[in-house]
Amino acid sequence: MNIRRTGLRALAVIGAVTLLVACETMPNLGALLEEPGQSGLSTQTIAQGLREALRVGSSRAVSDLSRQDGFLQSAFRIPLPDELQQAKNVAQRFGLDGLFTELEVKLNHAAEAAAPEAERLFVDAVNRLTFRDVMEIYRGPQDAATQYLQRTTEQQLMAQMRPIVDRQLSAVGALTAFQDLAQRYNQLPLVKPIDADVSQHVLGYANRALFSELAAQEAAIRQDPAKRTTELLRRVFQN
């Protein structure tokens, strides 16, 4: 009898541990847990609301940056790499600064064209949200969801956007413009020859812009009722 009771207790402990592990790892645990939290919402509803907020926020962020002059005429304008900016100051004395200005415009247009690639990666990450992720984001700061996406997608985003950026730099004529100005500048007397990885430069700025804009969109949904454009968002983020 004691052996049977001991065995039953052991099985109960194992079952409890298994349930706790499942709570940490099952992406759709909200569908199984319907008990309301302090907000009166079930975890399933919270999870659905957060996923929707991330989808809406990422869509808005990408839309803002990928519109015409979305980088060029915004706070996310991409400057020339430092080396090229210094060279531009020298080139101005020889009437070649227009080549550098043209290149800067083309760098921004390339980032604008590459931005939509980010939305698919963001949506994929949203679909992988775990129960722990959901609750940490829901209870977290105004940019908690953005922090999650940055942790889970940044490296993949950089890797997958690099060939897109390369292709767009070529398509808008930025690579040709850079080669032309480098050739002409390097022929000037007493100058240090210039070289720069313009693709990596654009990629770094575009990546920071995407997450900054996403954080702004997330904060707007959390704080501004007018930004909650669906019934689900209004339920989950009600003040």
Side-chain angles (χ1 to χ4, degrees):
M1 182 65 69
N2 289 337
I3 293 175
R4 175 176 292 181
R5 289 176 179 172
T6 301
L8 290 173
R9 284 198 298 270
L11 287 173
V13 170
I14 292 171
V17 171
T18 301
L19 179 59
L20 288 173
V21 171
C23 288
E24 297 296 336
T25 59
M26 290 181 65
N28 298 315
L29 188 64
L32 303 178
L33 298 178
E34 291 298 332
E35 299 82 357
Q38 293 180 353
S39 63
L41 299 173
S42 71
T43 52
Q44 181 184 23
T45 300
I46 292 172
Q48 290 172 342
L50 285 171
R51 288 189 176 98
E52 181 149 337
L54 282 167
R55 293 188 191 103
V56 170
S58 61
S59 179
R60 289 174 182 170
V62 169
S63 177
D64 285 349
L65 292 172
S66 61
R67 62 181 170 80
Q68 185 173 359
D69 293 334
F71 278 84
L72 195 61
Q73 296 181 1
S74 75
F76 303 113
R77 181 184 179 113
I78 301 174
L80 290 170
D82 289 342
E83 180 184 0
L84 296 186
Q85 185 59 56
Q86 294 171 13
K88 180 180 179 181
N89 296 335
V90 175
Q92 189 171 12
R93 300 199 299 266
F94 298 89
L96 296 179
D97 53 308
L99 296 174
F100 290 81
T101 301
E102 178 187 2
L103 175 62
E104 184 175 353
V105 170
K106 291 181 182 299
L107 295 183
N108 282 271
H109 285 167
E112 168 191 315
E117 177 69 13
E119 187 172 359
R120 180 182 60 78
L121 294 176
F122 287 161
V123 170
D124 288 346
V126 168
N127 292 334
R128 294 194 300 269
L129 278 168
T130 67
F131 175 68
R132 172 179 283 181
D133 294 328
V134 166
M135 300 317 297
E136 286 183 356
I137 291 171
Y138 186 63
R139 297 165 179 161
Q142 298 299 309
D143 64 343
T146 301
Q147 289 183 34
Y148 164 81
L149 283 180
Q150 195 159 10
R151 286 195 308 271
T152 57
T153 68
E154 187 169 28
Q155 292 305 313
Q156 184 183 13
L157 183 64
M158 294 282 280
Q160 293 197 17
M161 282 189 67
R162 175 67 192 241
I164 306 296
V165 169
D166 288 342
R167 186 163 64 249
Q168 294 303 329
L169 284 170
S170 178
V172 302
L175 295 182
T176 300
F178 173 67
Q179 292 166 359
D180 183 39
L181 78 82
Q183 181 180 14
R184 296 178 65 178
Y185 178 84
N186 291 343
Q187 291 175 352
L188 296 176
L190 303 177
V191 299
K192 178 182 177 181
I194 57 173
D195 190 17
D197 187 344
V198 291
S199 290
Q200 189 62 36
H201 180 74
V202 169
L203 185 59
Y205 270 87
N207 187 63
R208 288 192 290 274
L210 283 163
F211 285 112
S212 295
E213 184 66 12
L214 180 59
Q217 295 294 342
E218 178 186 355
I221 290 172
R222 288 179 183 264
Q223 297 171 357
D224 185 357
K227 298 296 184 179
R228 301 166 197 158
T229 53
T230 70
E231 178 60 29
L232 182 57
L233 291 179
R234 287 189 284 272
R235 286 184 62 199
V236 172
F237 294 98
Q238 59 185 324
N239 293 326

